[in-house]
Amino acid sequence: MTSTEQLRARATGPRPVLCVIEDEHRDLAVADAVAAGRFTLAGVTRELGTEPDWIDADLPEDEEWRIEWSKFYFGLDLAHAFRTTGDRRYLDAWERLVGSWIEQVPVGWDDADVAGRRLQNWLYAWQGFAAAPAFDGLAGDLEPALRASIVAQARWVRDHLHDRRNHRTLELYALLVVALALPEADPDAELRDFAVAELHRNLLADFRADGVHCEASTHYHMIALRSFVGTMGNARRFGLRLPDGFAAHVGRACDFALHCVRPDGGIPALSDADGGRYDAMLALAADVLDRDDLRHVATGGRAGAPPSERHASFPDGGYFVQRSGWGKAATPAADERYLIFDCGPLGDGGHGHYDLLSVEIAAGGRPLIVDPGRFTYAEGEPNLRRWFKGTAAHSTVCVDGRDQTPYRRGRPKGAVAEARFGGRLTAPGLDVLAGEASSPAYEAVHARTIVFVADAYWILHDRLRSGARHDYDLRLHLGPEAWGEAGLHRVGEQTTVRAPGLALVHAPGPEIAIEPGWVAPEYGVRRAAPVVSAVIAGASDADFTTLVVPLEDGRPAPALSVASDGPWTIVIVDGADARDEIHLAARPAPLELGPVRATAGAGWIRRAPDGRCLAAAACEPDAWIAWDPRRGLHRSEGGPA
């Protein structure tokens, strides 16, 4: 037996740990490309070989490309390909890539969070190879070199931990994984215990009381949460006791995770985020927390039990969700209607986008109004970091083309835009949200009221008030599938934008146009997408009323009319099935709601053609319901005072 064969025979691999990202890296095409020395990251491909120059290779200008390359996620694709096919070229490629890194790159060469993810991915890939029937150990002396490198890098990571937020989470979780996978790295369990205790502190510090991560990014919320769910899964696997309160706080973070997921299973790309799916993480959370509501969302309604709440509020993080349901016999879970409203603080660090009062809306199995995402952290010409982060790239109102918060690539310096949540009113057939945004860049105040009627459609009412004249631009971003398909239709004074699955009906007043924009489904990748722009120029005050109707192609859009009656804005939606009348208070923050009527259809007060009350709080013909935050729901006879 040769020395190489002897080393292979003695090899056992690391102790298997729970891999929380395995489902995301099972791409045979990626494995084939990497085995040929070809890497595609952030939308850019480089031919670098399987023993590349890790220090001085010719790489794209965006530093994120090198960072992502250095994390070795592709190793999991190689391990999956090897388990699936038994083809040794996948293992050989990984051995050469890892071996060349160890030979060339000194410990401490890159940031601690990058090193932490590389450590996780080396261990995940190694245990994946070791689980394959064709595996007979690593070649040559790679195994002892690999073990020594992992131990040395883990020590460096521990000595250079970030002090907070998602980087610290990933670094601490890497230390836990190393301690569990390699006994020689932690013979006295000191590293393991340190990682668990610090993860608990990090969990309490970074997730607000309502469960929303302090960075306010849906993407980073999920990534950080995945490490804490993985901690619980590995604790169960290895018989570890977690600190008191750990599971409860993870559960609150899972509450936001399940409610922010769109009906189609993806997440909205809010505040420096990519899109994507987190079904596997939610399924693991359902398992470790024994929660059927998480199981229901993770499986798209095929298992578990639906959450008890449809309209969820997360006031500390500033996110509010409206949902028509969780799936039932007549409506698959993916086809339900959904809106998420951003009315909270700017995310910590540099992740916060200037997106106050923006919305994302989905229905019919697809997103309709979207957040374009993050695309890049690099600045160049044109500065697309600024475009994707700026107010104009979000579905809110842009004032004079300015950002709500003065732009910086990273964390802001100086004053930032602030939101004030005006309240929520939920009643049968109706959910109403209100919020207000003020900016240090201009004195105009933006108030938005969102009315979700009969689980069927939305009314967006935007009020801008100022002592000076401004140009106001209400912008609604559509998805890439609407590119080339969105069109303007004008009948009289009413303008309707039709796009696949959607009608946007605008009340008279603004000039409506469709502009080119982008959506970035993942970092470094952007797709053309239309932006609906409604402009009122040179005005101190402006009002926009927009009807958002998920609608099958070919079906006529409802008619929209808006009028004023003293303190009330009267919105009438006249469709084929119902005529709904909604009265909105002149000052929507704090939230006040006037009468809501409907005939033979949908609304808060819902009546059959014979006048019989079908649902809601007031059955008398002349009874009205109003909302006052000091008094709650109250009723007055004969209409609003």
Side-chain angles (χ1 to χ4, degrees):
M1 180 181 292
T2 66
S3 59
T4 297
E5 290 171 336
Q6 290 172 342
L7 284 169
R8 287 189 186 277
R10 291 199 302 269
T12 58
R15 287 194 301 193
V17 295
L18 178 66
C19 177
V20 295
I21 59 171
E22 185 174 8
D23 65 296
E24 297 182 8
H25 298 280
R26 296 176 173 174
D27 194 323
L28 291 178
V30 169
D32 285 333
V34 172
R38 188 170 60 255
F39 303 85
T40 300
L41 302 164
V44 179
T45 300
R46 283 289 189 270
E47 299 268 359
L48 299 170
T50 54
E51 294 183 358
D53 184 339
W54 291 102
I55 303 292
D56 294 318
D58 180 20
L59 302 182
E61 290 184 9
D62 187 349
E63 180 63 17
E64 292 296 320
W65 201 100
R66 180 189 292 276
I67 289 172
E68 196 68 11
W69 187 45
S70 302
K71 293 174 183 175
F72 276 74
Y73 282 106
F74 48 76
L76 279 75
D77 298 289
L78 291 170
H80 172 71
F82 181 64
R83 290 196 308 275
T84 302
T85 68
D87 189 336
R88 182 165 291 280
R89 66 191 174 96
Y90 300 117
L91 174 58
D92 291 342
W94 188 76
E95 290 173 335
R96 289 195 297 273
L97 288 162
V98 172
S100 61
W101 176 280
I102 293 171
E103 289 178 3
Q104 296 176 34
V105 183
V107 172
W109 181 73
D110 48 16
D111 204 51
D113 77 293
V114 180
R117 291 204 229 189
R118 181 170 57 250
L119 293 177
Q120 291 182 58
N121 292 333
W122 278 4
L123 288 166
Y124 292 154
W126 185 10
Q127 72 182 28
F129 284 116
F135 183 75
D136 56 1
L138 300 178
D141 59 357
L142 179 59
E143 178 165 339
L146 176 58
R147 288 179 180 271
S149 179
I150 290 173
V151 171
Q153 290 184 68
R155 289 174 182 154
W156 189 88
V157 168
R158 178 171 179 172
D159 290 340
H160 295 83
L161 290 166
H162 281 81
D163 58 356
R164 59 191 180 277
R165 298 198 296 272
N166 81 81
H167 284 185
R168 184 176 179 87
T169 303
L170 292 161
E171 292 156 5
L172 291 169
Y173 187 64
L175 295 181
L176 177 63
V177 168
V178 169
L180 296 176
L182 298 184
E184 68 268 29
D186 191 29
D188 300 320
E190 189 273 336
L191 180 62
R192 181 200 70 189
D193 293 344
F194 169 81
V196 168
E198 288 301 308
L199 278 164
H200 188 221
R201 288 181 57 195
N202 179 240
L203 171 67
L204 297 178
D206 283 6
F207 286 89
R208 302 179 190 273
D210 61 2
V212 179
H213 193 268
C214 64
E215 291 171 324
S217 162
T218 47
H219 170 80
Y220 286 108
H221 181 100
M222 294 297 198
I223 287 176
L225 176 58
R226 186 167 57 192
S227 292
F228 293 108
V229 173
T231 298
M232 294 187 67
N234 275 310
R236 184 171 61 179
R237 176 175 290 200
F238 288 91
L240 307 182
R241 185 181 184 280
L242 296 177
D244 293 342
F246 193 101
H249 212 64
V250 170
R252 286 188 286 274
C254 287
D255 291 340
F256 177 68
L258 73 86
H259 282 288
C260 86
V261 169
R262 295 191 309 255
D264 68 350
I267 65 167
L270 302 180
S271 199
D272 231 27
D274 293 344
R277 301 179 67 98
Y278 290 85
D279 300 343
M281 187 270 285
L282 292 173
L284 176 60
D287 190 25
V288 298
L289 293 169
D290 191 23
R291 283 181 49 173
D292 270 349
D293 56 348
L294 289 166
R295 192 166 292 110
H296 182 89
V297 176
T299 62
R302 295 184 301 275
S308 59
E309 191 174 19
R310 294 189 294 123
H311 305 316
S313 297
F314 300 91
D316 299 311
Y319 287 117
F320 303 87
V321 180
Q322 296 172 327
R323 192 182 299 262
S324 60
W326 295 98
K328 45 189 177 293
T331 306
D335 290 344
E336 296 282 9
R337 301 183 178 194
Y338 159 100
L339 177 146
I340 188 166
F341 178 43
D342 183 345
C343 187
L346 192 70
D348 287 1
H351 291 300
H353 280 200
Y354 313 138
D355 56 0
L356 285 180
L357 309 190
S358 66
V359 296
E360 179 155 328
I361 296 175
R366 57 186 166 188
L368 299 174
I369 294 176
V370 304
D371 189 300
R374 59 176 175 162
F375 180 60
T376 184
Y377 291 152
E379 294 184 307
E381 289 298 333
N383 189 342
L384 293 177
R385 171 62 173 162
R386 179 165 192 165
W387 189 90
F388 278 89
K389 193 172 185 178
T391 300
H394 298 87
S395 293
T396 186
V397 177
C398 192
V399 179
D400 295 333
R402 299 180 184 179
D403 292 324
Q404 294 167 341
T405 294
Y407 172 77
R408 288 193 79 243
R409 177 179 178 272
R411 70 185 62 183
K413 289 186 177 180
V416 301
E418 295 184 352
R420 184 165 68 97
F421 182 57
R424 178 170 214 154
L425 171 63
T426 302
L430 190 82
D431 188 73
V432 184
L433 296 166
E436 189 174 273
S438 58
S439 166
Y442 45 79
E443 82 295 333
V445 175
H446 175 200
R448 169 168 277 184
T449 303
I450 301 167
V451 187
F452 187 30
V453 181
D455 297 334
Y457 63 83
W458 289 270
I459 296 167
L460 304 182
H461 183 63
D462 293 286
R463 287 170 50 87
L464 285 299
R465 295 294 182 265
S466 172
R469 294 184 180 275
H470 295 281
D471 293 339
Y472 299 113
D473 185 3
L474 167 63
R475 302 176 66 77
L476 298 173
H477 291 255
L478 310 185
E481 58 280 349
W483 182 251
E485 300 293 331
L488 287 174
H489 304 271
R490 291 186 173 92
V491 178
E493 294 185 338
Q494 182 166 291
T495 301
T496 300
V497 176
R498 293 301 299 259
L502 174 67
L504 297 174
V505 185
H506 295 267
E511 291 293 324
I512 312 299
I514 298 176
E515 301 178 356
W518 296 293
V519 169
E522 58 184 278
Y523 188 93
V525 177
R526 60 187 166 117
R527 298 175 183 166
V531 184
V532 179
S533 169
V535 173
I536 296 176
S540 57
D541 298 340
D543 288 80
F544 301 85
T545 304
T546 311
L547 174 64
V548 182
V549 187
L551 203 61
E552 295 177 6
D553 297 344
R555 291 197 62 187
L560 172 69
S561 62
V562 180
S564 296
D565 182 10
W568 304 101
T569 296
I570 304 169
V571 181
I572 298 175
V573 179
D574 202 348
D577 302 324
R579 182 179 186 273
D580 299 335
E581 182 177 314
I582 298 95
H583 295 221
L584 299 173
R587 298 183 61 188
L591 181 63
E592 298 177 11
L593 186 72
V596 181
R597 297 174 177 172
T599 57
W604 184 8
I605 301 174
R606 202 166 70 167
R607 294 186 175 87
D610 62 3
R612 180 171 49 87
C613 181
L614 298 178
C619 296
E620 298 85 352
D622 294 323
W624 306 81
I625 299 298
W627 171 256
D628 184 316
R630 294 161 298 181
R631 298 171 57 191
L633 282 172
H634 65 278
R635 185 168 64 185
S636 61
E637 302 298 327

